[in-house]
Amino acid sequence: MTNDLRPFQVAVPEEQLRDLRRRLTDTRWPEPATVSDWSQGVPLHDLQALCGYWRAEYDWRATERRLNRWPQYLTDIDGLTIHYFHLPSPSPSAVPMILTHGWPGSFLEFEEVMEQLADSRTFGTTAASADFHLVVPSLPGYGFSGKPTSPGWSVHRIADAWAELMQRLGYTRFIAAGSDWGTSISTSLALHHPDRLLGLHLIPPLVPPLPVDGKTPTQQERAAARELDERSQTESGYSAMHGTRPQTIGYSLLDSPVGLCAWILEKLWNWADHPGNLYEVLSQDQVLDDITLYWLTASGASSARLYWESIAEISAWFTDGSSDKIGVPTGCTVFPREVPRPSRRVAERRFTNIIHWGEPPRGGHFGAWEQPELFVQEAHAVRRALTPHMP
């Protein structure tokens, strides 16, 4: 293992795509659910429609061509290969930002955001360059990053790896931003490497929904607590499986593309902010880009293991709370369909230096993917709010 930064391009062998189409053709389907809605999971007709499009019309090669416009690299950190995009800006005022995804997402969550925040010359346009030197890595066990072969790759170890990655790129101080696991990893960077951070952008901050200091909850806080409780009752089965037996579910996710598609589609459908049709905010191609990435990189099991490593600790952050205090300047974005959805006054008990609080009008758990324009506005707002705090 060395510190070299190796250029990378996506190039999936054609045989893997033929195998995917064969498996989709040979699927053994179950009977329909006994209900007509999503309360038992993905309805048969919805999954068959998406998988039919996947088999006959979806074009992974077009996705490869888009991805290969961007500078991508591999480097080895702490015994593991890390894949990342690096989009530096020529602007003298640009600041480094590492942007981290979660599950069941990937760097593809940030595709449109990257195009708007990065140096536009990367994409062959003439618009002005951006405020950020963007670094967008793939989590260990996800995408084109390596798969851990021994336990220990928790959110804290990943945070250490991100600090090392940014050092190798010449960024001694930077903004740490992200959603889902990216929120936890960015928070861990503030806990363990506060001197390396210019600031945080958390989408959202992970704290309990209700105040714990005797204050009367607001109507908004009560509603957020109810939704968190409902999510725990009806939407957390996947997390229990990932957190306790990731290897067991991994066999199905690696062997059946339809099984993988259902496992991910159900979360995209239920966690995104849409009026009853997911494809009004994420197209079929966008959904299948993400699912196909998981399939072609065989990362169904390896991605789930991060839950085994860290979900108990992270769940406690937004249910029981945490006694630590984080003084790093922090920008927060809370999309209206996100769960958990904390209030500012509760978040301020842990994050003592909140310099921006944004509540966009639309968006769910995948805010950057669903509403890239609103996410970009939030990123620029955090950048502006951080300016007085920068050396």
Side-chain angles (χ1 to χ4, degrees):
M1 295 292 180
T2 65
N3 292 347
D4 66 321
L5 309 175
R6 307 182 297 278
F8 175 80
Q9 291 271 279
V10 182
V12 172
E14 184 63 28
E15 174 55 33
Q16 291 189 28
L17 300 178
R18 288 196 295 268
D19 176 69
L20 170 60
R21 289 190 288 270
R22 177 187 62 79
R23 289 170 181 264
L24 289 168
T25 300
D26 294 341
T27 299
R28 185 170 70 164
W29 295 96
E31 69 283 354
T34 57
V35 295
S36 60
D37 58 19
W38 284 68
S39 61
Q40 291 185 7
V42 183
L44 178 63
H45 61 84
D46 288 274
L47 191 60
Q48 287 181 324
L50 182 61
C51 288
Y53 179 82
W54 197 8
R55 176 184 55 80
E57 299 181 58
Y58 173 74
D59 184 4
W60 171 258
R61 295 302 185 199
T63 303
E64 280 191 352
R65 289 190 293 271
R66 292 199 320 273
L67 296 178
N68 287 336
R69 294 177 301 160
W70 303 340
Q72 302 173 63
Y73 303 87
L74 303 176
T75 192
D76 301 320
I77 300 176
D78 194 10
L80 196 70
T81 298
I82 300 298
H83 164 263
Y84 64 96
F85 296 87
H86 183 204
L87 307 177
S89 169
S91 171
S93 62
V95 297
M97 180 167 70
I98 188 166
L99 190 54
T100 308
H101 68 84
W103 186 93
S106 63
F107 57 76
L108 287 161
E109 291 181 60
F110 303 125
E111 180 176 359
E112 293 191 39
V113 168
M114 290 163 68
E115 294 215 19
Q116 295 184 50
L117 292 178
D119 177 11
S120 57
R121 295 180 304 177
T122 303
F123 309 104
T125 65
T126 57
S129 59
D131 285 341
F132 302 99
H133 304 297
L134 276 182
V135 180
V136 183
S138 295
L139 290 171
Y142 289 67
F144 300 110
S145 283
K147 298 176 175 64
T149 58
S150 58
W153 275 95
S154 67
V155 295
H156 303 297
R157 189 171 178 181
I158 296 171
D160 291 342
W162 278 194
E164 172 63 20
L165 173 61
M166 296 301 275
Q167 187 68 40
R168 290 185 188 182
L169 295 176
Y171 301 134
T172 56
R173 300 191 69 194
F174 54 92
I175 298 170
S179 57
D180 194 89
W181 285 120
T183 299
S184 306
I185 292 161
S186 299
T187 301
S188 181
L189 276 162
L191 288 170
H192 301 294
H193 303 277
D195 57 319
R196 297 290 307 282
L197 295 185
L198 296 167
L200 292 170
H201 184 189
L202 305 179
I203 309 123
L206 294 182
V207 295
L210 296 175
V212 295
D213 52 6
K215 294 182 179 178
T216 302
T218 65
Q219 183 176 357
Q220 181 182 9
E221 289 167 343
R222 291 184 190 277
R226 284 195 303 271
E227 290 177 25
L228 179 59
D229 182 64
E230 291 170 3
R231 176 72 59 88
S232 298
Q233 296 296 320
T234 62
E235 299 279 345
S236 62
Y238 84 97
S239 182
M241 177 64 78
H242 287 196
T244 59
R245 299 294 186 270
Q247 189 69 16
T248 300
I249 188 61
Y251 296 114
S252 298
L253 300 179
L254 267 289
D255 190 62
S256 169
V258 169
L260 175 70
C261 185
W263 198 247
I264 292 178
L265 176 62
E266 193 261 333
K267 295 310 170 195
L268 301 186
W269 188 282
N270 284 318
W271 293 354
D273 182 11
H274 58 83
N277 181 3
L278 173 65
Y279 306 130
E280 292 188 25
V281 294
L282 296 175
S283 69
Q284 285 184 303
D285 283 334
Q286 286 178 296
V287 169
L288 289 174
D289 283 344
D290 186 61
I291 294 170
T292 307
L293 178 66
Y294 274 82
W295 176 258
L296 294 174
T297 57
S299 53
S302 55
S303 62
R305 292 191 193 105
L306 183 50
Y307 285 77
W308 188 87
E309 295 282 358
S310 289
I311 193 60
E313 177 184 4
I314 302 310
S315 294
W317 285 2
F318 61 81
T319 54
D320 303 326
S322 176
S323 61
D324 55 52
K325 303 294 183 183
I326 295 174
V328 172
T330 301
C332 303
T333 299
V334 183
F335 284 93
R337 284 290 310 278
E338 178 62 285
V339 177
R341 196 172 59 255
S343 66
R344 178 168 185 162
R345 68 171 182 168
V346 174
E348 286 175 337
R349 292 181 58 82
R350 187 183 193 196
F351 300 92
T352 60
N353 190 10
I354 293 178
I355 48 85
H356 170 79
W357 187 271
E359 297 185 9
R362 299 179 305 282
H365 185 66
F366 311 97
W369 207 10
E370 301 169 45
Q371 299 293 338
E373 292 80 10
L374 295 177
F375 185 94
V376 167
Q377 292 174 19
E378 285 293 295
H380 284 301
V382 172
R383 169 70 176 86
R384 290 191 299 271
L386 284 172
T387 299
H389 301 269
M390 294 181 183

